[in-house]
Each structure stands twice: as structure tokens, then as C-alpha cells.
Amino acid sequence: MAQSGSMISGMAGRYAGSLFELAKEAKAISTVEADLGRFEKLLEGSTDLQRLVESPVFSADDQLKAVGAVLEKAKITGLVGNFLRVVAKNRRLFAVPQMIRAFRQIAAEDRGETSADVTAAHALNATQEKELKAALKSVAGKDVSINVTVDPSILGGLVVKMGSRQIDTSLKTKLNSLKLALKEVG
């Protein structure tokens, strides 16, 4: 399903598009975005939850009960709570991370922004986020919402994915390039 010229397609895009339409109707886009972010953090922080979401071994009922318990404990209710329960019932939990990314992209486009996925070696402070947004705005020509993921394995620098572009200034990539260059010389 192509949403306003973007490349959002497939099942995750359809689910995200439906959730966005409901959120827009309820004038709750920012609330839904925040709740999805909270669920995403729970998912990233729990290997058990990841296993539940990704494994086809669990029945739809088991997934529904477990997700329901997680949502209740995290106090995620309303549209996102109902949405995740429907996703679990339909055995589509494995695609929740893509659905969240697609939702963010649709919401950003609706606000006249573009979105960028940023991987950093450590969490960015408010000043760094502001400077990064300004730099990306000068490249994109419009406001950019950023989704930051922390991955210490990149050692330093950033990996920025914006649309079809990727800018990799990570220390890991630079060291790998240097290693290749040294192999060619030797």
C-alpha cells in the first residue's frame, strides 16, 4: 500500500496504515507513536518477549495472552493495546518492528517530515540530536524525525538511513576499510 508517495508496502505497511488512519481519526497520532515506542523499548529489552514475538511455535492464543499481560503491566491501552492484540490474534506479531517503523514513516510524512533511522555507539544527548536533525534537514530539505538505536558494536560515529540513502561514518566500517586497504598493499 503506497502511502503519499512513500515506499511503504506489504503486510506491515497495511497494518501501519490502518493504525495510522484510526489514530488520525481519534486525533491521537502522537499518543499512538509514543505507545508504539514504549512497546518497542520493551521488545528490545526482553529476549523472552522477542522470542514470543518471533517464534512460530507459540499458538495465537498463547501470544495473545502473553502480549495482553505485557500490555497490561506496561499500561499500554487504547489504540495501541487493541492494535497489538489484533496483530497477535492474527499471528502477525513477528512483523511488529516493521509495523512500528512504517507507522513512524507515515506519521512523519503526514507532518511534512521525513524520517531517518540512526544507529549510534551510545545514546545521543539533546544537543547532539538537535544538531543531527539540523544537519539532516539541510540534506533532505525538510524536517527530519529521527529514530535512534544504540549499538555499541559500531564503536563510534553514526550510521544514518534516510529513504534509500545510507551514510555510514561508524568507526567499525572505517577500521574494516583500513584493514582491507592494508591487505591489498601487503
Side-chain angles (χ1 to χ4, degrees):
M1 159 188 203
Q3 284 274 356
S4 51
S6 73
M7 294 301 294
I8 300 169
S9 61
M11 181 258 307
R14 288 190 301 275
Y15 273 82
S18 297
L19 179 59
F20 179 79
E21 292 304 319
L22 290 169
K24 192 170 186 170
E25 244 175 61
K27 296 179 179 16
I29 295 170
S30 60
T31 305
V32 167
E33 219 167 349
D35 284 349
L36 287 173
R38 287 178 39 226
F39 185 78
E40 183 178 49
K41 294 270 186 280
L42 290 172
L43 193 56
E44 289 168 357
S46 169
T47 52
D48 288 340
L49 186 56
Q50 287 171 14
R51 196 172 19 259
L52 174 80
V53 164
E54 294 167 2
S55 176
V57 174
F58 298 103
S59 72
D61 283 346
D62 290 344
Q63 286 183 325
L64 183 59
K65 284 177 193 158
V67 165
V70 168
L71 294 172
E72 202 171 297
K73 189 170 172 102
K75 295 183 178 24
I76 296 175
T77 59
L79 281 174
V80 173
N82 293 339
F83 173 76
L84 291 170
R85 283 181 179 88
V86 167
V87 170
K89 204 163 107 183
N90 293 345
R91 299 196 51 77
R92 298 288 185 258
L93 277 179
F94 65 89
V96 164
Q98 297 92 323
M99 291 175 193
I100 292 171
R101 269 195 302 280
F103 184 90
R104 281 193 183 115
Q105 189 177 347
I106 294 167
E109 285 176 11
D110 187 65
R111 291 189 296 267
E113 300 173 347
T114 189
S115 60
D117 290 321
V118 177
T119 305
H122 56 82
L124 302 179
N125 64 35
T127 306
Q128 291 169 325
E129 271 198 36
K130 187 176 174 186
E131 289 173 3
L132 180 58
K133 282 182 179 183
L136 292 174
K137 182 178 181 173
S138 70
V139 171
K142 54 183 167 180
D143 287 336
V144 178
S145 66
I146 60 174
N147 177 33
V148 180
T149 306
V150 176
D151 179 2
S153 76
I154 70 168
L155 305 175
L158 298 171
V159 179
V160 179
K161 292 178 188 163
M162 191 166 58
S164 61
R165 288 190 263 187
Q166 177 170 317
I167 304 156
D168 188 342
T169 64
S170 68
L171 195 50
K172 182 179 181 179
T173 300
K174 289 180 180 180
L175 288 172
N176 285 338
S177 297
L178 183 60
K179 194 160 78 175
L180 279 172
L182 289 172
K183 277 184 181 177
E184 289 173 12
V185 171

